[in-house]
């Protein structure tokens, strides 16, 4: 993806999916070399926010793969098996543009 005015996300996923105790969030973007604020919010099947993951990264390329999650909620407890929705929000610290995408993940316990 070439740099453009608008922050763009592609190929948003977590792997492995389904998982039991470990998954890694991955995505592509069009802002290589720019500092990015990353926010991942994981919601239970009934819509309750169970986990928030925040990170700041200055990516060398257009792919981010190093955001891991161990399946624990914000209080350190394992969340139950089921289908969860997560929201990936990425914000450029250079021009404050933002993009977001929703995806599903499955936990097997």
């Amino acid at each position: 993806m070439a740099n453009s005015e608008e922050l763009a996300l592609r190929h948003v996923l977590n792997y492995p999916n389904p998982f039991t105790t470990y998954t890694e969030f991955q995505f592509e973007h069009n802002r290589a070399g720019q500092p990015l604020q990353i926010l991942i919010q994981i919601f239970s099947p009934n819509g309750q926010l169970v986990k928030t993951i925040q990170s700041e990264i200055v990516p060398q390329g257009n792919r981010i793969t190093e955001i891991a999650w161990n399946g624990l909620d914000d209080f350190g407890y394992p969340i139950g098996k089921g289908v969860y929705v997560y929201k990936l929000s990425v914000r450029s610290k250079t021009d404050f543009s933002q993009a977001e995408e929703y995806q599903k993940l499955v936990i097997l316990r």
Side-chain angles (χ1 to χ4, degrees):
M1 284 187 282
N3 278 349
S4 66
E5 289 298 309
E6 211 170 299
L7 176 60
L9 302 177
R10 289 183 22 174
H11 302 125
V12 176
L13 61 97
N14 68 294
Y15 183 83
N17 190 16
F19 73 101
T20 55
T21 59
Y22 175 87
T23 192
E24 204 169 88
F25 296 95
Q26 306 176 20
F27 63 93
E28 293 178 5
H29 58 89
N30 60 341
R31 297 296 179 95
Q34 292 185 20
L36 300 176
Q37 289 179 318
I38 299 165
L39 175 67
I40 299 170
Q41 296 172 298
I42 300 160
F43 299 93
S44 69
N46 67 2
Q48 179 182 3
L49 179 63
V50 295
K51 180 66 178 178
T52 301
I53 301 168
Q54 294 180 318
S55 184
E56 286 196 17
I57 298 173
V58 180
Q60 298 305 308
N62 292 99
R63 185 166 182 75
I64 292 180
T65 60
E66 64 265 22
I67 303 171
W69 180 45
N70 58 7
L72 302 181
D73 67 14
D74 281 331
F75 301 102
Y77 296 106
I79 63 174
K81 70 179 179 179
V83 178
Y84 291 76
V85 171
Y86 67 91
K87 176 182 168 184
L88 168 70
S89 301
V90 180
R91 184 176 181 197
S92 167
K93 293 187 76 177
T94 303
D95 66 3
F96 304 107
S97 61
Q98 187 167 332
E100 60 186 39
E101 187 170 322
Y102 289 86
Q103 291 292 332
K104 291 181 182 177
L105 60 83
V106 177
I107 299 178
L108 304 174
R109 297 231 188 247

